[in-house]
Amino acid sequence: MLKNNFIQEIYENYQNYLNKDIKICGWVSNIRDLGGVKFVLLRDRTGVLQLVFKKGITPEEEIEKSKELIKESIICIEGILTEGKSSLKYEVQVKKLNILNKPFEPIPLDPDSSTDAQFNVRLDYRWLDVRNRKVSAIFIFESWVAKTFREYLTDNGFVEIFTPKIVATGTEGGAEVFPVIYFGKEAYLAQSPQFYKQLAVISGLERVFEIGPVFRAEAHHTVRHLSEFHGLDMEMGYISSVEDVINTVEGFFKRMSEKALSDKYLKPVREFFNLEVLIPERIPRIPIREAYKILENYYGKHLEIGDDLDTESEKLLGEYVKKEFNSDFVFVTEYPWKVRPFYTMRKQDDNQWTYGFDLLFKGLEVATGSQREHRYDVLVKNLKDKGLDEKRFKFYLDFFKDGTPPHGGVGLGLERIVKQFLNLDNVREARLLPRDTERITP
């Protein structure tokens, strides 16, 4: 390996490296040539380290070689780590320089100031944009969220599964799907792993989760929608009520909020983002019919009974729970049947409402879940009530003919979680290469 250490590791364990030979690699972020001494800032995803080329210390041939350096050159150096006088505290007296590569032409986007550019320009040159350490911190955090989700569910008896992304029919039964030609037949990109994670529970795996891509052919032009995103999905069997699912989701966010403030992996993230969130001992649960009243009485926002929450309603409820409960989170429960998928279990005392819920995080829906309907005959009726063709869902209905435990689950949007945690303006900032109605490259 050309590179054995990240810059952050050198700072954290400086006592092991101080006044000793070290080797480090990265991108040249800045160059200051003062004649007899040259200062070069070296950047990697974890930090910045100052390099010093100085006559009498650095061999003459290496000083000559350093004249070839330009911004964004990729280099490895060997030298002595010493205490410096700059705000970076430590610096390396360079003994050997190895220039691995350098830009072929003037760079179209300066990584160190890329966030000042228009977002479309940043996406056009995403490989340069992500060299900006504040931008790369977003994806370090995103990786950590997925890792935490995986660890939390594994610790609670869940099995990770991997389901098809080319499917025979849309999960929701609607038109918001991307059709593909599959060996001469029409198929679709999966809207979610919903049917297959239910199959996995029914098959005897009992508790399952998946982290994978989700595709939605929704012609939205908003800061909260993507045509392709990563879903954090889980499904659990033998639940006594939907509250078991809600409690599991709550536990995941509590673990995240606690670990985010201390996990060493997130040190480069905390340098740029405040990771504190308000999460009470018990996240408030508000039935949607109560939410209608709150919106009407406190904000003059009227929704018809049975309506879904719109963007403004979610934001207002976020403000309400922060003020009344000192919480950045709220579960909105008992969603109306007319806005929920056919597989959602309806309330026993009033079948116009369901055991479906959303989790709002700082006024944005980041999770949607429910207790599922596990009774074959009721599922058939639900399909008819939704005006869906039973024959199209035969393969799914067949799952439920051979003994199905009560179960429920949730789908969370990874990018939305990251957006809200880091207070980003646009969910596209949390996607390395976003796909929407306008963009399919790079």
Side-chain angles (χ1 to χ4, degrees):
M1 289 290 291
L2 291 172
K3 181 170 183 172
N4 296 319
N5 298 300
F6 286 105
I7 290 173
Q8 178 185 324
E9 295 169 348
I10 292 172
Y11 278 107
E12 289 177 347
N13 303 292
Y14 70 91
Q15 65 274 12
N16 297 330
Y17 299 107
L18 198 58
N19 299 317
K20 295 179 182 178
D21 290 325
I22 68 165
K23 179 179 178 181
I24 193 72
C25 302
W27 282 266
V28 172
S29 177
N30 195 25
I31 303 169
R32 285 189 301 132
D33 194 339
L34 304 181
V37 61
K38 180 182 290 183
F39 298 98
V40 174
L41 294 183
L42 188 72
R43 175 202 337 111
D44 71 8
R45 76 167 197 237
T46 67
V48 177
L49 186 61
Q50 180 162 274
L51 313 179
V52 181
F53 294 81
K54 188 174 184 180
K55 291 181 179 180
I57 296 177
T58 305
E60 190 63 33
E61 60 269 25
E62 304 303 318
I63 290 178
E64 281 297 311
K65 203 184 297 182
S66 73
K67 295 177 181 178
E68 301 176 27
L69 293 177
I70 59 176
K71 286 195 68 170
E72 298 311 306
S73 296
I74 300 171
I75 66 174
C76 290
I77 62 95
E78 296 177 24
I80 306 294
L81 184 70
T82 62
E83 292 190 20
K85 297 179 181 179
S86 74
S87 60
L88 296 175
K89 197 171 182 180
Y90 301 104
E91 60 189 25
V92 179
Q93 305 291 331
V94 178
K95 300 292 186 180
K96 186 175 181 180
L97 167 65
N98 182 12
I99 302 176
L100 300 177
N101 210 334
K102 55 187 179 181
F104 179 75
E105 58 187 10
I107 57 174
L109 182 69
D110 186 343
D112 293 321
S113 59
S114 70
T115 54
D116 296 332
Q118 291 185 350
F119 191 52
N120 278 339
V121 175
R122 292 172 56 194
L123 293 179
D124 288 340
Y125 300 100
R126 195 60 153 162
W127 59 92
L128 293 171
D129 181 45
V130 178
R131 291 184 196 177
N132 184 308
R133 291 189 54 242
K134 184 174 183 179
V135 179
S136 66
I138 296 170
F139 300 107
I140 293 170
F141 183 72
E142 191 163 66
S143 168
W144 178 85
V145 171
K147 171 177 172 284
T148 304
F149 183 75
R150 177 176 283 112
E151 290 176 347
Y152 170 74
L153 290 179
T154 302
D155 290 347
N156 283 278
F158 284 73
V159 175
E160 185 168 9
I161 58 173
F162 308 91
T163 65
K165 301 307 164 202
I166 301 175
V167 298
T169 188
T171 309
E172 313 298 336
E176 295 170 341
V177 289
F178 289 108
V180 297
I181 302 303
Y182 186 70
F183 299 108
K185 300 176 182 178
E186 187 174 72
Y188 306 94
L189 296 180
Q191 290 172 301
S192 87
Q194 182 60 45
F195 292 171
Y196 297 111
K197 60 180 181 172
Q198 287 184 265
L199 179 150
V201 169
I202 295 167
S203 71
L205 292 177
E206 300 190 23
R207 298 180 188 179
V208 298
F209 73 95
E210 179 171 21
I211 302 173
V214 176
F215 303 91
R216 299 285 169 89
E218 299 171 332
H220 290 298
H221 300 264
T222 76
V223 298
R224 45 188 274 157
H225 288 96
L226 289 164
S227 298
E228 178 187 11
F229 61 92
H230 254 66
L232 307 178
D233 278 273
M234 73 86 166
E235 203 78 13
M236 53 197 299
Y238 296 99
I239 63 171
S240 56
S241 74
V242 70
E243 190 68 17
D244 291 335
V245 181
I246 290 175
N247 288 339
T248 302
V249 176
E250 181 178 69
F252 165 58
F253 279 92
K254 283 183 176 178
R255 179 177 289 197
M256 269 207 307
S257 66
E258 292 166 4
K259 291 184 63 179
L261 300 178
S262 59
D263 196 315
K264 176 182 172 182
Y265 185 80
L266 295 184
K267 189 172 182 179
V269 182
R270 290 191 292 268
E271 186 177 339
F272 298 100
F273 297 99
N274 178 5
L275 299 184
E276 292 185 27
V277 295
L278 299 173
I279 185 164
E281 184 64 28
R282 186 175 189 270
I283 294 175
R285 280 84 157 145
I286 299 178
I288 196 167
R289 281 173 281 186
E290 183 181 336
Y292 294 150
K293 296 176 184 177
I294 291 169
L295 291 167
E296 183 87 59
N297 296 336
Y298 284 82
Y299 302 101
K301 170 73 175 181
H302 178 73
L303 292 177
E304 294 294 330
I305 299 300
D307 281 355
D308 202 350
L309 299 179
D310 58 18
T311 301
E312 183 186 21
S313 299
E314 291 180 356
K315 289 180 179 178
L316 293 174
L317 285 174
E319 293 176 13
Y320 175 81
V321 296
K322 187 168 185 176
K323 179 181 178 182
E324 298 295 324
F325 298 94
N326 196 32
S327 174
D328 282 328
F329 300 85
V330 58
F331 287 104
V332 181
T333 64
E334 300 184 9
Y335 266 74
W337 162 248
K338 75 176 186 179
V339 301
R340 286 287 150 145
F342 74 90
Y343 49 78
T344 308
M345 181 176 281
R346 298 154 95 164
K347 284 178 63 66
Q348 293 178 356
D349 56 348
D350 189 344
N351 67 9
Q352 295 308 305
W353 306 92
T354 72
Y355 297 114
F357 67 89
D358 277 359
L359 174 64
L360 308 186
F361 178 14
K362 295 180 181 177
L364 176 67
E365 176 252 303
V366 296
T368 296
S370 72
Q371 181 165 354
R372 319 303 190 187
E373 181 51 67
H374 62 283
R375 296 162 294 185
Y376 175 83
D377 56 336
V378 180
L379 272 173
V380 171
K381 182 180 184 303
N382 284 356
L383 279 166
K384 291 177 180 177
D385 288 350
K386 288 288 186 182
L388 297 172
D389 184 357
E390 179 184 337
K391 294 178 182 177
R392 285 186 60 210
F393 295 89
K394 179 183 181 303
F395 80 98
Y396 173 74
L397 293 171
D398 285 347
F399 305 165
F400 296 85
K401 291 181 176 179
D402 302 306
T404 305
H407 62 281
V410 68
L412 304 96
L414 175 59
E415 290 83 0
R416 285 193 176 192
I417 293 170
V418 172
K419 175 188 180 299
Q420 295 305 91
F421 233 110
L422 303 185
N423 294 312
L424 304 177
D425 293 329
N426 192 323
V427 72
R428 290 164 181 77
E429 294 184 66
R431 185 78 182 174
L432 183 63
L433 298 170
R435 295 290 180 257
D436 54 31
T437 53
E438 286 86 26
R439 182 172 290 275
I440 198 169
T441 59

